[in-house]
Amino acid sequence: MGLETRSLGRTGINLSTIGLGTIKIGRNTNVKYPERFQLPSDEEVITLLKTAAEIGINCLDTAPAYGQSEARLGTLLASINYPFQIITKVGENYSLKHGSRYDFSDHAIQKSLELSLKRLRRDQLDVVLLHSDGDDLRHIESGALKALIDARERGLVKAVGLSGKTLEGGRRALQEGADCLMITLNAEMQEERALLDESAAFNAGILVKKVFGSGYLAHDPKKQLLTLLSHPNVTSAIIGTLNPEHLRHNCESLLVGINP
């Protein structure tokens, strides 16, 4: 029995209740995890992705800010016959020399979309989010979300939204037509919780990041995932790991919790 899938709001896209975050396959500098790690080999990434497919995970989360993540997925997914849905982002880029750089202009967003299509080797992107630096309202008011909506209308993207950091930004994104939001929600960070209910009024989906606080809150993953996914408007919880058995254990314990 595979993981449950849920509709991402009104988009018609069905995602597994657990999504795999892939920053660790593309970047290991200037990150906030409790332990240092080496970037995995191609063979290790393929094993991880095949394990995800076996479990029923159909959702991968990436971004240009995740170093080589998009490019590696574009290359390595060709060897895996599985219909992964990919969430990527615009607005933030990362390099070892310059760190994170943000640009939410129309030109930068269009260029980012073109590069993501090329890196991921796709003709259309599934889900694209504004990768906010925390100044959510300013970027939305400057037209960044509209640029993504225009790309959706042109058929470059199926669904668009905001990966933000503020309650006010999430609310504005919903009002401006976002199909979904990616919010931070865990035992210690509850500032955006109200968006779980408020998004339902817009028939918009919710993706949850930092479920385990970047590894600092992973003391009872089964309970945390069950609690989070008990809310009907949460489509998918994104978790990141390089350990296939760790991924399998978290998902299988979730299946047991949902289907005793």
Side-chain angles (χ1 to χ4, degrees):
M1 181 180 295
L3 285 171
E4 174 192 2
T5 61
R6 296 180 180 179
S7 176
L8 184 65
R10 60 181 178 269
T11 66
I13 298 172
N14 292 313
L15 301 180
S16 51
T17 49
I18 299 296
L20 177 63
T22 64
I23 186 172
K24 288 185 176 180
I25 75 170
R27 170 181 164 188
N28 64 354
T29 52
N30 301 112
V31 290
K32 299 178 181 179
Y33 295 100
E35 297 179 359
R36 299 181 67 179
F37 60 93
Q38 297 295 317
L39 294 180
S41 66
D42 286 354
E43 292 75 15
E44 289 170 326
V45 175
I46 289 172
T47 297
L48 180 67
L49 294 172
K50 285 183 175 179
T51 300
E54 291 168 5
I55 296 167
I57 292 175
N58 75 347
C59 172
L60 304 176
D61 177 64
T62 186
Y66 295 176
Q68 295 301 307
S69 175
E70 281 189 322
R72 296 191 79 186
L73 288 176
T75 299
L76 300 177
L77 285 176
S79 64
I80 302 171
N81 184 24
Y82 190 75
F84 282 110
Q85 305 285 319
I86 299 181
I87 301 163
T88 192
K89 305 174 188 77
V90 297
E92 180 185 358
N93 284 279
Y94 175 84
S95 69
L96 185 60
K97 181 177 180 180
H98 300 291
S100 286
R101 290 188 168 185
Y102 295 89
D103 189 341
F104 294 90
S105 66
D106 287 355
H107 174 77
I109 288 173
Q110 180 62 34
K111 184 65 174 178
S112 184
L113 293 171
E114 292 171 359
L115 288 173
S116 290
L117 285 164
K118 182 177 180 180
R119 293 186 192 114
L120 292 167
R121 304 187 183 187
R122 297 206 166 187
D123 297 322
Q124 185 182 43
L125 299 171
D126 298 312
V127 182
V128 180
L129 309 174
L130 297 178
H131 207 172
S132 180
D133 56 358
D135 203 353
D136 303 345
L137 283 176
R138 182 168 68 88
H139 300 314
I140 294 170
E141 290 172 351
S142 71
L145 182 59
K146 183 181 183 300
L148 281 186
I149 291 173
D150 289 345
R152 184 190 65 195
E153 298 305 309
R154 298 199 311 273
L156 293 179
V157 183
K158 295 179 184 177
V160 301
L162 170 72
S163 176
K165 297 184 179 181
T166 66
L167 181 61
E168 295 77 12
R171 286 173 171 161
R172 179 62 63 86
L174 292 172
Q175 294 165 2
E176 295 295 324
D179 298 307
C180 58
L181 301 176
M182 180 176 281
I183 67 172
T184 298
L185 190 61
N186 57 49
E188 293 187 355
M189 301 182 73
Q190 300 277 315
E191 292 84 354
E192 298 173 89
R193 173 171 285 279
L195 294 170
L196 292 179
D197 292 324
E198 293 177 20
S199 60
F202 295 86
N203 196 15
I206 291 287
L207 306 162
V208 180
K209 59 185 174 180
K210 300 187 186 300
V211 179
F212 304 138
S214 299
Y216 289 92
L217 303 173
H219 52 277
D220 192 349
K222 176 181 175 181
K223 180 179 178 180
Q224 292 176 70
L225 289 170
L226 286 173
T227 299
L228 182 63
L229 293 169
S230 67
H231 196 288
N233 210 42
V234 173
T235 301
S236 188
I238 307 300
I239 61 177
T241 183
L242 293 177
N243 186 326
E245 291 311 310
H246 180 224
L247 181 64
R248 189 185 298 277
H249 174 75
N250 280 344
C251 292
E252 287 181 348
S253 66
L254 179 63
L255 284 170
V256 170
I258 294 176
N259 302 293

